[in-house]
Amino acid sequence: MASVVFYMEDGTTLVHKLESDVATIGRHPDNNVLLTCPSSSGRHAIIKVTDKGVYVQDLGSSNGTRVNGAEIEEALLKDGDRVGFGDVQAVFYAGDAPSVLEEKPQGAPRLSKSLPPPAPNNVSPSTPAAGAKPAPAGRALSPVRRAYAKPAAGSYPDTTESGCMTGIIVTGMFVIAFVVGLAMRHSKEMDGNMFEDLKDKVFGSMPKIKIERKE
């Protein structure tokens, strides 16, 4: 029986046997396979067992579904294919999963320490899976990966200091232009020097105090 091994973000493995025609995958509790990774959508994808083979179909998830590294809308799965649901990785097996990952009796999934997924059979990450429908262009990496990814050294200059200096210079130029404009307007309307008139107005209005010295 075909099965899918999910490698969870907490380092555990979950084996899901494809006993029904459709297996739903996502973060919503009603799914057959419950994912807790924030990069997975509530209704992320489904795996369908048909007469023509086993297909994985993306349900319009936020971070996409990938087969062997290629983002897809729907793809036919082959034994050993690696499938990514957001940041959760899985491996499809056309038959039973390796014995070390087999489920416990009574259908209860067995969680064990993470086992590195086997490499796909001669499939490069850039090669789409057979029957794959490419997803629309423009969807980039997971927002979770983008949010926590560190920029490469020297990828962009630090413009904080130069930006502050530019702001100070521009503000100073505006202030100077404003004062010059006031001076020109005062000179035209009052026929005088604004700075001298301002000086006379301020200091001329101050009362003069005469101090007499008694002998």
Side-chain angles (χ1 to χ4, degrees):
M1 179 180 296
S3 56
V4 183
V5 180
F6 293 84
Y7 295 87
M8 300 301 189
E9 58 177 353
D10 60 357
T12 57
T13 353
L14 186 148
V15 180
H16 181 80
K17 289 187 177 181
L18 300 175
E19 298 176 343
S20 58
D21 293 339
V22 177
T24 58
I25 302 165
R27 288 193 294 115
H28 195 279
D30 292 344
N31 288 295
N32 301 119
V33 179
L34 179 61
L35 304 180
T36 58
C37 183
S39 64
S40 303
S41 298
R43 309 285 183 184
H44 196 103
I46 60 172
I47 296 179
K48 302 180 293 184
V49 180
T50 69
D51 295 336
K52 297 181 180 180
V54 180
Y55 289 82
V56 58
Q57 178 182 347
D58 185 77
L59 298 180
S61 62
S62 300
N63 297 311
T65 302
R66 293 175 173 79
V67 176
N68 298 326
E71 191 168 354
I72 56 89
E73 289 183 351
E74 185 179 61
L76 174 65
L77 294 176
K78 303 187 300 296
D79 186 51
D81 278 349
R82 300 174 74 131
V83 188
F85 304 95
D87 290 338
V88 176
Q89 298 299 313
V91 177
F92 169 76
Y93 292 96
D96 291 336
S99 58
V100 69
L101 298 174
E102 283 293 339
E103 293 179 332
K104 289 182 178 181
Q106 301 178 355
R110 174 182 178 179
L111 296 179
S112 62
K113 290 297 180 181
S114 175
L115 184 69
N121 298 327
N122 300 324
V123 180
S124 64
S126 59
T127 304
K133 297 180 182 179
R139 185 152 59 183
L141 293 175
S142 160
V144 175
R145 292 180 178 177
R146 291 198 304 268
Y148 291 96
K150 294 182 178 180
S155 58
Y156 54 85
D158 185 2
T159 59
T160 304
E161 184 176 350
S162 60
C164 293
M165 184 60 66
T166 302
I168 293 173
I169 293 175
V170 172
T171 304
M173 293 178 64
F174 273 114
V175 172
I176 294 173
F178 179 74
V179 173
V180 171
L182 284 179
M184 294 177 63
R185 181 176 179 181
H186 182 85
S187 177
K188 182 177 180 180
E189 295 181 356
M190 306 299 294
D191 193 20
N193 189 302
M194 183 184 73
F195 300 102
E196 292 183 359
D197 292 346
L198 183 61
K199 178 181 177 181
D200 293 340
K201 185 175 182 180
V202 173
F203 294 100
S205 60
M206 295 178 62
K208 295 181 180 180
I209 301 175
K210 184 177 181 181
I211 301 176
E212 295 183 356
R213 187 174 180 180
K214 297 181 179 181
E215 296 181 357

